[in-house]
Amino acid sequence: MKQLLIFLTIGILLFSCSSNEEEIENDQNNAPLITKMSPYGLTSENQSGLYTYFEYDNAKRLTKKSGKFIEINPRTFYINEIYTSLEYDNNTVTVENFTTLVGKSVPKESIYITLNKSMQIEKKEIPNGYNNSWHRKLVYYYSDNKLVEIKTTFPNTPYTFPDNYLLTYSEKFYYDSNSNLSKTEYFEQRNGVNKGEKIVRIFENYDDSINPLKRFYLLDQYFYGSISKNNYTKYTEIHYDDDVETTKYESNWKYLYDEKGNILVN
């Protein structure tokens, strides 16, 4: 009887893990294969005539995003000839920038991503070519297949002025009853204690549409928008310094939908 209970318990656990992984995989596979989109995101209109273009491999994984904003003071330009490449090697992904402009080069801004068995981000490393002390390592933590925290660390070089401490960051994620991201809280930490910078991001007024950004979760530009089941139409960002509010930004927008209630992207 004891052995039977053990086998039953193991079977339930294996079935649960398998079901959770399939749920994540199906969630991503149901997302549309977007080939072009306004560089401003899922906006209701695109009067600029500019587009970002996307390419995929045979496994429907994003491999290329063409088009990027660059800032040349005091103006910002959108360059179609700059693209971001995503190269897959088993459970690792290398994300880098390139250009097709002859005789020109762009900063690669290399990012190295490790995925878990559910194809979720497990770890991200972002080197700094100018100062190794700012080489960032991000570790992603999940509960019930939802991202709940990202911890950012640097090489263990203590700050000596004005205090002697190790700098880290923690961002915690919160969800509503529909599995949509409702808020994140980003904390600067000194020796593991929340102190200094704090950023609160609030996501509201979700629609009922399929989320078209699910396949773009490996790109920082679309990361927050890719997390949820649906799509938020109000975003608020509040910055604090030692719990004193310094700046607040709020944005609202509308989407266009087809007859099935799903967002029109192109």
Side-chain angles (χ1 to χ4, degrees):
M1 177 63 72
K2 183 177 180 181
Q3 290 180 333
L4 178 60
L5 290 174
I6 292 174
F7 286 132
L8 286 173
T9 302
I10 293 174
I12 291 171
L13 289 173
L14 290 174
F15 177 77
S16 177
C17 293
S18 176
S19 297
N20 290 337
E21 291 177 8
E22 287 178 3
E23 180 181 345
I24 295 172
E25 185 177 348
N26 290 335
D27 194 25
Q28 293 177 358
N29 287 339
N30 287 334
L33 285 173
I34 297 173
T35 56
K36 70 176 184 178
M37 185 171 68
S38 165
Y40 304 100
L42 297 173
T43 56
S44 59
E45 55 182 305
N46 181 18
Q47 297 179 347
S48 68
L50 301 174
Y51 285 99
T52 300
Y53 295 89
F54 304 92
E55 297 179 19
Y56 306 85
D57 62 14
N58 292 333
K60 299 181 180 180
R61 299 177 301 186
L62 181 67
T63 58
K64 185 177 180 180
K65 178 186 79 74
S66 297
K68 182 178 177 65
F69 284 105
I70 62 170
E71 185 175 340
I72 304 176
N73 288 330
R75 299 180 61 187
T76 299
F77 299 88
Y78 188 75
I79 309 298
N80 289 306
E81 292 81 6
I82 297 177
Y83 67 92
T84 301
S85 168
L86 295 88
E87 184 175 336
Y88 299 83
D89 182 11
N90 294 322
N91 68 325
T92 62
V93 187
T94 300
V95 183
E96 293 180 321
N97 295 326
F98 299 93
T99 182
T100 58
L101 292 170
V102 178
K104 302 294 183 180
S105 63
V106 295
K108 283 190 174 183
E109 300 177 342
S110 303
I111 299 175
Y112 304 101
I113 299 172
T114 302
L115 304 176
N116 62 22
K117 292 181 179 179
S118 298
M119 299 301 291
Q120 297 167 314
I121 300 175
E122 181 178 275
K123 182 176 66 175
K124 182 184 292 186
E125 296 205 38
I126 307 175
N128 186 301
Y130 302 100
N131 187 344
N132 188 56
S133 296
W134 290 104
H135 179 117
R136 285 181 287 163
K137 180 180 178 181
L138 288 71
V139 180
Y140 292 64
Y141 297 87
Y142 299 86
S143 177
D144 295 329
N145 290 317
K146 292 186 179 67
L147 178 64
V148 294
E149 186 175 11
I150 300 175
K151 292 184 179 181
T152 302
T153 59
F154 304 89
N156 290 328
T157 304
Y159 285 73
T160 56
F161 181 83
D163 301 306
N164 188 23
Y165 64 88
L166 293 178
L167 177 67
T168 58
Y169 289 92
S170 169
E171 184 168 21
K172 296 189 175 181
F173 293 71
Y174 304 90
Y175 301 84
D176 62 21
S177 58
N178 292 322
S179 298
N180 289 321
L181 182 65
S182 59
K183 182 176 70 172
T184 74
E185 292 180 327
Y186 181 86
F187 298 97
E188 176 184 345
Q189 297 180 326
R190 302 178 184 180
N191 291 334
V193 178
N194 294 344
K195 185 174 177 62
E197 181 184 21
K198 175 184 175 182
I199 303 174
V200 176
R201 298 179 173 93
I202 302 171
F203 308 85
E204 300 177 279
N205 298 350
Y206 278 87
D207 62 13
D208 297 319
S209 168
I210 293 174
N211 185 347
L213 301 180
K214 283 289 187 180
R215 297 183 189 276
F216 299 161
Y217 70 106
L218 296 178
L219 299 177
D220 289 345
Q221 177 182 353
Y222 305 107
F223 178 70
Y224 291 106
S226 72
I227 292 176
S228 299
K229 176 182 178 182
N230 306 117
N231 311 276
Y232 57 88
T233 61
K234 180 180 179 182
Y235 174 72
T236 306
E237 183 172 309
I238 311 170
H239 290 245
Y240 299 85
D241 187 5
D242 284 333
D243 292 327
V244 177
E245 183 178 322
T246 56
T247 59
K248 181 177 182 179
Y249 166 81
E250 182 178 299
S251 180
N252 295 268
W253 56 88
K254 295 181 180 180
Y255 303 131
L256 295 177
Y257 299 90
D258 61 19
E259 65 280 1
K260 295 181 179 180
N262 292 320
I263 289 178
L264 290 171
V265 178
N266 298 332

